[in-house]
Amino acid sequence: MDFSFTEEQLMLQDVARRIAQDVIAPSAAHFDQVGEFPLDNIRLLGENGLMGIEVPAEYGGAGMDPVGYVLAMVEVAAADAAHSTIMSVNNSLFCSGILAHGSEQQKQSIVRAIAEGREIGAFALTEPQSGSDATAMRCRAVKQDDGSFVINGKKSWITSGPVARYIVLFAITDPGQGARGITAFIVDTTRAGFHRGKTEPKLGIRASATCEIEFVDYVAQPADVLGTEGKGFGIAMGVLDSGRIGIAAQAVGIARAAYEQTRQYVKERKAFGAAIGTFQMTQAKIADMKCRLDAALLLTLRAAWVKAQGRPFTAEAAIAKLTASESAMWITHQAVQIHGGMGYSREMPLERYFRDAKITEIYEGTSEIQRLVIARSETGLR
Ligand code: CAA
């Protein structure tokens, strides 16, 4: 067993850390408060290869492996979760599915624009009435005689929806077939028939824009189909497996930021004539925070490593996401508690970490869905 990283992985981590600390961290509180999409910072991440980390260089990406992706995500998320959300959607939800199933043309034109950070991508699976139960979608793509599709329907909770140029969309092409009647499309949001709806006001990751979208007689050409007609649900699930490693890494980054600030604080803050870090109740919290942080990081790296070996990693990704997101929630909770009033104040980033951590237990499959995936894998029962 080898716990060391390659030179390339460490270089990527270093690039991500420098941008995260020099550019993102100083502006994170501002973007959170005004809820503005940090477009310039996202372009900078793209120029440095961080919007298409696993995309091969021939399609404009950094050509790195999933372990490198985790290391970079942790650094960006430790500076600001909202930036890492945008990064994760571009990297995992958008690029990974097209890389695995897309045509050469889709990779050369569309993936390249996203990986280089010139355009933003999004992923549209969820609908107002279908979240965890993804096959309950209603968005409909009706095939025409000339092979094109006319798409009608609504999608909700679309991360980066307000700014995305391209969206990977899932719609029903064969009603009554359940998961086997769903097809994936790549949608160009500048075309007729695409509309943006209300923007969601959110508890956390406020700088990452989220909205509803609607299709009214949007025409998709046969070249816009991603993969094979009727195989869209498997594409969505495979993409989410990769995405869950990204969200696990995001959770680790948020948790690490909260932990490191708390570790410093308990050495400086005095009460009853001593640093609060000398009190056993504080020591227990610090020890438990560190154990959960390391467990989350190691499980996330394991999932990335299994993926890098080309082996199935569905269960490993679910274990990593479940552990890391619940650890992030617990660690940020303890961090706020240990900081007392200052933890609750907007003058410090602890309350932002706490708000941001919550989404990692919800998106890209709730904790309940991760438990379902893990239990099915363990028992073989459904
Ligand atoms: N990889 C590839 N294929 C998979 C798969 C995987 N991990 N998991 C399932 N499939 C395939 C199955 O093989 C099956 O194919 P066949 O019909 O050919 O046999 C098909 O998908 C259906 O599988 P199931 O019967 O297991 O499906 P299910 O209805 O029981 O649902 C589920 C499974 C795990 C609950 C799934 O619906 C799920 O993951 N739900 C959560 C959805 C989710 O994560 N949504 C997040 C939205 S995106 C988001 O949050 C983005 C954002 O903005 C940041």
Side-chain angles (χ1 to χ4, degrees), residues 85 89 93 123 125-126 131-135 157-159 179-180 233-234 237-238 240-241 244 314 363-366 369 372-373 376 382:
T85 297
V89 172
L93 295 190
F123 178 87
L125 179 69
T126 302
S132 293
D133 184 7
T135 57
W157 290 104
I158 307 308
T159 306
R180 293 180 183 181
F233 193 73
M237 293 296 109
L240 283 168
D241 286 342
R244 288 166 187 170
T314 299
Y363 61 14
E364 301 204 28
T366 60
I369 288 296
L372 175 153
V373 170
R376 281 183 179 180
R382 294 177 50 83

Side-chain angles (χ1 to χ4, degrees), residues 3-339:
F3 282 96
S4 58
F5 299 114
T6 65
E7 209 169 300
E8 290 79 16
Q9 288 163 348
L10 291 172
M11 275 168 59
L12 184 77
Q13 182 187 44
D14 192 50
V15 170
R17 182 181 294 144
R18 274 191 287 110
I19 298 174
Q21 293 308 317
D22 296 350
V23 181
I24 297 175
S27 59
H30 163 76
F31 281 117
D32 173 61
Q33 271 167 29
V34 298
E36 180 188 322
F37 190 87
L39 189 59
D40 290 346
N41 291 351
I42 295 305
R43 296 240 191 278
L44 180 68
L45 289 169
E47 285 159 15
N48 284 275
L50 298 168
M51 283 293 148
I53 292 173
E54 294 176 58
V55 173
E58 61 188 297
Y59 304 124
M64 290 293 300
D65 70 341
V67 172
Y69 176 50
V70 165
L71 296 179
M73 272 294 288
V74 169
E75 294 305 322
V76 173
D80 181 43
H83 282 73
S84 68
T85 297
I86 301 160
M87 181 175 158
S88 97
V89 172
N90 264 21
N91 274 278
S92 322
L93 295 190
F94 191 85
C95 289
S96 78
I98 305 179
L99 280 181
H101 305 279
S103 65
E104 189 58 27
Q105 161 69 14
Q106 289 168 343
K107 291 179 198 171
Q108 275 300 351
S109 57
I110 297 172
V111 167
R112 176 175 289 282
I114 302 293
E116 291 175 351
R118 288 182 282 114
E119 303 285 2
I120 306 292
F123 178 87
L125 179 69
T126 302
E127 297 186 3
Q129 79 300 327
S130 108
S132 293
D133 184 7
T135 57
M137 71 176 64
R138 291 183 193 152
C139 184
R140 186 86 167 82
V142 180
K143 198 168 191 174
Q144 310 296 298
D145 292 341
D146 64 358
S148 66
F149 295 81
V150 175
I151 302 178
N152 282 285
K154 279 188 182 163
K155 294 280 172 181
S156 53
W157 290 104
I158 307 308
T159 306
S160 297
V163 288
R165 167 69 196 269
Y166 299 108
I167 300 180
V168 173
L169 167 77
F170 299 89
I172 297 174
T173 41
D174 202 351
Q177 294 303 308
R180 293 180 183 181
I182 293 169
T183 299
F185 297 88
I186 303 175
V187 166
D188 183 339
T189 62
T190 62
R191 284 208 221 143
F194 174 81
H195 304 275
R196 293 185 167 94
K198 75 173 167 94
T199 303
E200 300 293 348
K202 306 191 296 290
L203 174 72
I205 54 161
R206 298 186 66 254
S208 97
T210 312
C211 71
E212 283 190 346
I213 57 174
E214 184 169 10
F215 296 87
V216 181
D217 293 336
Y218 178 96
V219 178
Q221 300 301 330
D224 301 329
V225 171
L226 175 59
T228 310
E229 199 180 323
K231 299 278 185 199
F233 193 73
I235 294 175
M237 293 296 109
V239 164
L240 283 168
D241 286 342
S242 290
R244 288 166 187 170
I245 297 177
I247 301 306
Q250 174 181 52
V252 170
I254 300 168
R256 191 187 79 187
Y259 170 70
E260 287 179 348
Q261 288 181 35
T262 306
R263 185 181 56 189
Q264 188 58 30
Y265 184 75
V266 302
K267 291 194 261 184
E268 291 164 359
R269 172 72 180 181
K270 299 241 174 7
F272 306 104
I276 63 172
T278 62
F279 303 153
Q280 287 188 347
M281 260 193 275
T282 310
Q283 289 172 340
K285 285 189 201 295
I286 291 290
D288 290 348
M289 289 164 88
K290 173 65 175 161
C291 291
R292 292 192 195 207
L293 177 62
D294 279 9
L297 176 61
L298 288 170
L299 286 170
T300 305
L301 287 169
R302 179 184 70 160
W305 180 82
V306 174
K307 181 184 171 193
Q309 305 305 303
R311 287 164 31 200
F313 61 95
T314 299
E316 285 83 356
I319 292 168
K321 182 183 183 278
L322 177 65
T323 306
S325 58
E326 294 195 343
S327 297
M329 202 61 235
W330 190 85
I331 289 168
T332 55
H333 177 193
Q334 299 306 323
V336 169
Q337 187 67 20
I338 290 174
H339 280 79

Side-chain angles (χ1 to χ4, degrees), residues 32 336 343-346 348-356:
D32 173 61
V336 169
Y344 202 65
S345 167
R346 287 214 158 173
M348 292 195 75
L350 283 309
E351 60 85 32
R352 174 162 56 85
Y353 301 149
F354 179 67
R355 287 186 285 109
D356 288 347

